[in-house]
């Protein structure tokens, strides 16, 4: 029962580089999400996807790109990394049915941009 | 005003104590409420869902007061393993068919021997 996995778990990159964070879930959940978590802030939604080929912006989408060609994968790309994108990134998934919209999280990717 | 507000703590309590956390939310139309637990440097994990006036799961009791727009989490007989950050989560603004979840910044609990 793999659930939801993220890779890499840790990444150090330089300013200006492109970085892709991977997220994979085995539950066949329709919804997938990307959050970032920084000290002093709660989890902030970057992008989400309701199904394959359907994505939408969250609260802090600038500087990020997502795609969802398959239900189980939801990669997040930082097109040109900046130091302000140093953060912990969590992927989550959910099978939203009526009022039951709890989300389940992957282990996170700790990204440092130097 | 933040959409979901929590006392950041930390709450330092001895083993066996009862501790309560409160959380207030701003969107009166919110329908889903959760408590998540997050250990240091780990992912948030669902602790309890709160869909009606409240519910109990072992030592944990969650209460919802819609009129006052707050949620509480009560932990009885605290264990060392309860030390973590507790996140209050509420569904918020409707966006493209999806009511996004809003996460509070969390309340830290430290249980000591």
């Amino acid at each position: 029962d793999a659930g939801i996995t993220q890779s890499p778990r840790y990444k150090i990159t330089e300013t200006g580089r492109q970085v892709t964070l991977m997220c994979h879930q085995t539950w066949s959940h329709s919804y997938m999400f990307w959050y970032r978590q920084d000290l002093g802030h709660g989890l902030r939604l970057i992008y989400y996807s309701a199904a394959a080929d359907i994505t939408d912006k969250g609260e802090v989408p600038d500087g990020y790109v997502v795609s969802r060609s398959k239900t189980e994968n939801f990669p997040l790309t930082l097109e040109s990394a900046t130091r302000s994108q140093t953060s912990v990134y969590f992927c989550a998934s959910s099978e939203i049915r009526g009022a039951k919209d709890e989300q389940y999280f992957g282990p996170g990717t700790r990204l440092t941009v130097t | 005003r933040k959409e979901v507000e929590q006392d950041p703590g930390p709450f330092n309590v001895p083993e066996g104590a009862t501790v309560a956390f409160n959380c207030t939310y701003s969107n009166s139309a919110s329908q889903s409420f959760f408590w998540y637990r997050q250990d240091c440097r780990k992912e948030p994990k669902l602790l309890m869902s709160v869909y009606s006036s409240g519910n109990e799961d072992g030592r944990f009791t969650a209460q919802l007061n819609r009129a006052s727009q707050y949620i509480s989490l009560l932990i009885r007989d605290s264990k060392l393993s309860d030390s973590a950050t507790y996140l209050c989560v509420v569904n918020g603004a409707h966006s493209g068919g999806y009511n996004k979840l809003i996460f509070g910044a969390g309340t830290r609990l430290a249980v000591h021997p």
Side-chain angles (χ1 to χ4, degrees), chain A residues 33 37 48 99 101-103 106, chain B residues 32 36 38 43 51 95 98:
Chain A
F33 310 87
Q37 188 174 37
Y48 71 96
D101 51 358
E102 58 266 25
Q103 296 179 15
Chain B
S32 300
Y36 277 72
Q38 186 172 26
E43 73 273 23
Y51 287 111
S95 173
Y98 163 63

Side-chain angles (χ1 to χ4, degrees), chain B residues 36-50:
Chain B
Y36 277 72
R37 170 196 168 123
Q38 186 172 26
D39 293 286
C40 188
R41 302 171 81 85
K42 297 278 185 75
E43 73 273 23
K45 292 186 178 178
L46 180 65
L47 179 66
M48 297 181 75
S49 303
V50 188

Side-chain angles (χ1 to χ4, degrees), chain B residues 4-6 15 17 23 26 28 31 38 46 48 57 60-62 69 74 83 86-89 92-93 100 107 111 113:
Chain B
V4 177
E5 291 203 72
Q6 297 182 248
E15 274 186 291
C23 165
S26 61
S28 59
Q31 293 295 319
Q38 186 172 26
L46 180 65
M48 297 181 75
D57 183 3
F60 300 86
T61 300
Q69 293 181 213
L74 183 77
S83 298
Y86 291 83
L87 308 178
C88 175
V89 184
K100 64 174 184 172
T107 298
V111 182

Side-chain angles (χ1 to χ4, degrees), chain A residues 1-86:
Chain A
D1 183 6
I4 183 164
T5 56
Q6 294 183 235
S7 63
R9 295 292 312 279
Y10 302 89
K11 177 74 178 178
I12 300 174
T13 192
E14 295 177 344
T15 302
R17 298 229 181 208
Q18 183 180 82
V19 177
T20 296
L21 310 184
M22 304 301 293
C23 179
H24 176 80
Q25 53 108 354
T26 60
W27 292 310
S28 299
H29 284 169
S30 298
Y31 280 80
M32 294 187 76
F33 310 87
W34 275 107
Y35 292 90
R36 61 178 290 173
Q37 188 174 37
D38 306 287
L39 278 175
H41 292 275
L43 285 156
R44 292 184 290 174
L45 182 64
I46 304 170
Y47 270 95
Y48 71 96
S49 168
D53 297 321
I54 301 175
T55 62
D56 206 349
K57 294 178 181 179
E59 185 184 349
V60 289
D62 293 343
Y64 303 95
V65 174
V66 293
S67 62
R68 194 158 175 215
S69 57
K70 293 184 177 181
T71 302
E72 61 267 30
N73 297 324
F74 190 38
L76 175 75
T77 297
L78 288 66
E79 295 184 293
S80 178
T82 64
R83 288 187 181 158
S84 64
Q85 293 177 310
T86 293

Side-chain angles (χ1 to χ4, degrees), chain B residues 4 11 13 16 20 30 35 47-48 58 61-62 71 75 77 81 102 113:
Chain B
V4 177
F11 284 63
V13 302
S30 294
W35 284 101
L47 179 66
M48 297 181 75
T61 300
I71 313 152
I75 305 175
D77 189 23
S81 58
I102 311 297

Side-chain angles (χ1 to χ4, degrees), chain B residues 57-107:
Chain B
D57 183 3
R59 297 183 294 109
F60 300 86
T61 300
Q63 293 285 334
L64 169 64
N65 184 318
R66 288 183 188 271
S68 301
Q69 293 181 213
Y70 81 78
I71 313 152
S72 64
L73 177 68
L74 183 77
I75 305 175
R76 290 181 297 277
D77 189 23
S78 297
K79 312 289 185 193
L80 293 175
S81 58
D82 293 333
S83 298
T85 297
Y86 291 83
L87 308 178
C88 175
V89 184
V90 176
N91 78 343
H94 183 85
S95 173
Y98 163 63
N99 291 336
K100 64 174 184 172
L101 294 187
I102 311 297
F103 288 79
T107 298

